[in-house]
Amino acid sequence: MRIRYSRWDGTQKLDALDADDLLAAMSDDLLADGDPWRALRRLFHRGAQRPDGRPMPGLGELLQRLRGQRQQRLDRYDLGSALDDIKQKLDEVIRTEREGIERRVPTEAERATKLARLDRLPPDPASLIRELQRHDFTEPEARRKFEELLKSLQQQMLKPFVQGMQQALQGLGPEDTKRMREMMRDLNRMLRQRLEGEEPDFQAFMDTWGAHFPGVESLDQLLEQMGRQMAQLQSLMASLSPEQRGQLREMMSALFLQDERLEAEMRQLAMSLGE
């Protein structure tokens, strides 16, 4: 069952609970120490039983539920383990390249030069990705593994910003990256227009990019959807250690090294959604 919370506007319906019911729920505490405010605080924390016998959860139980849901999300989106997995895949790329050099390069001097270059690669994932993007691979299989890893990471990094983009991101090539940048640019333009008091042409945006946002009927709805996704991403980032957060940010920057304009548009969008 899904429960939706919203700001109180007078239209919500609450189960009947009058003063007599509250006094009955507080009676034991009142008789124990005679302090109505302390009894009321304990009632808020502990909860009570409604006149029809149903339990009314207190703040303590609600907080426990929130902690449980937060832990479920952390278990589901374990970014710390994801970083470890990325490191393992990068190590596999280097191992494959090393084996290819030893097998394919005929002269000992050239082999030594290429292997020494691998030995000098930085250990952290973000710097390693940058270096491998510039690396002249000897082993085609190592290049294939690295390109597959890059494509997978790009999809994962972009997913929190745009719902329904999985299909568009499956073959993320130069032309796809260009279109992604153009879409981000158009979205940022609409946000700037709204901040400046203008009325953005939302329909024109949807005519061009609507396939990526199924079910969205207004700019407010689109911003609400993307804002929720940004909040989820920020919550997950908060679960990481400072070192892991730094690695992830550096990795995102490295992934879009070949298109700094896309990175800039994404950063601008994230800032706008956070305002």
Side-chain angles (χ1 to χ4, degrees):
M1 180 179 67
R2 295 177 64 87
I3 300 175
R4 183 178 180 85
Y5 293 91
S6 61
R7 185 184 298 274
W8 176 263
D9 59 11
T11 63
Q12 293 87 346
K13 293 183 179 180
L14 300 177
D15 293 332
L17 192 66
D18 57 24
D20 290 337
D21 297 326
L22 287 174
L23 285 173
M26 296 163 51
S27 59
D28 290 341
D29 286 333
L30 283 172
L31 291 173
D33 62 15
D35 187 336
W37 291 111
R38 190 176 302 170
L40 187 60
R41 283 197 298 269
R42 281 196 289 264
L43 175 64
F44 285 157
H45 180 77
R46 186 180 58 229
Q49 193 172 37
R50 293 186 176 93
D52 59 6
R54 290 183 299 143
M56 181 177 67
L59 293 177
E61 182 180 344
L62 293 176
L63 286 173
Q64 187 175 2
R65 290 182 190 176
L66 287 173
R67 293 189 189 102
Q69 291 181 7
R70 179 179 183 274
Q71 188 59 49
Q72 288 178 2
R73 287 178 178 269
L74 293 179
D75 292 341
R76 182 180 178 186
Y77 303 103
D78 187 354
L79 295 185
S81 297
L83 286 173
D84 291 338
D85 183 59
I86 291 169
K87 292 177 183 177
Q88 292 177 4
K89 290 180 178 178
L90 288 170
D91 289 342
E92 173 65 18
V93 170
I94 295 174
R95 185 187 65 79
T96 304
E97 173 70 355
R98 188 181 300 277
E99 292 175 353
I101 290 172
E102 293 174 347
R103 186 176 62 255
R104 293 174 179 274
V105 178
T107 65
E108 183 176 350
E110 187 179 358
R111 279 200 306 272
T113 300
K114 288 181 175 290
L115 291 174
R117 191 174 298 129
L118 289 183
D119 293 336
R120 291 195 298 269
L121 288 173
D124 63 286
S127 300
L128 183 53
I129 287 174
R130 286 194 177 94
E131 290 298 322
L132 288 177
Q133 284 179 311
R134 294 188 283 260
H135 181 71
D136 184 14
F137 283 91
T138 299
E139 174 57 51
E141 179 64 13
R143 178 187 296 276
R144 184 191 66 79
K145 288 181 178 180
F146 179 63
E147 289 176 349
E148 284 187 356
L149 176 60
L150 274 186
K151 184 181 296 184
S152 172
L153 290 175
Q154 287 173 334
Q155 293 174 8
Q156 293 176 39
M157 296 302 179
L158 286 171
K159 194 180 297 182
F161 291 93
V162 183
Q163 187 178 34
M165 289 295 294
Q166 288 88 341
Q167 293 181 351
L169 293 172
Q170 284 177 353
L172 196 66
E175 186 62 29
D176 302 301
T177 303
K178 177 184 176 183
R179 285 184 56 79
M180 176 67 68
R181 184 180 67 244
E182 292 172 349
M183 186 189 69
M184 294 283 183
R185 180 200 61 203
D186 291 349
L187 184 54
N188 283 326
R189 182 186 297 119
M190 283 201 303
L191 295 178
R192 284 196 301 271
Q193 289 173 339
R194 167 163 286 194
L195 288 174
E196 293 169 358
E198 302 177 18
E199 185 62 32
D201 191 350
F202 177 73
Q203 188 56 51
F205 176 84
M206 292 300 289
D207 289 343
T208 305
W209 309 109
H212 301 317
F213 303 96
V216 173
E217 299 178 354
S218 68
L219 179 56
D220 288 334
Q221 190 176 358
L222 173 61
L223 295 179
E224 181 183 358
Q225 181 186 95
M226 300 183 74
R228 285 198 304 268
Q229 293 168 347
M230 283 295 300
Q232 291 174 1
L233 178 62
Q234 290 170 356
S235 175
L236 295 175
M237 289 286 283
S239 70
L240 298 175
S241 67
E243 181 182 0
Q244 289 173 327
R245 283 196 296 271
Q247 289 179 355
L248 194 57
R249 291 191 183 100
E250 286 293 319
M251 199 176 305
M252 290 180 70
S253 177
L255 287 172
F256 299 102
L257 180 66
Q258 297 175 348
D259 196 327
E260 295 180 355
R261 289 174 295 175
L262 173 58
E263 182 184 358
E265 294 290 353
M266 291 178 64
R267 188 180 296 113
Q268 179 61 48
L269 178 60
M271 291 174 59
S272 298
L273 291 174
E275 292 178 351

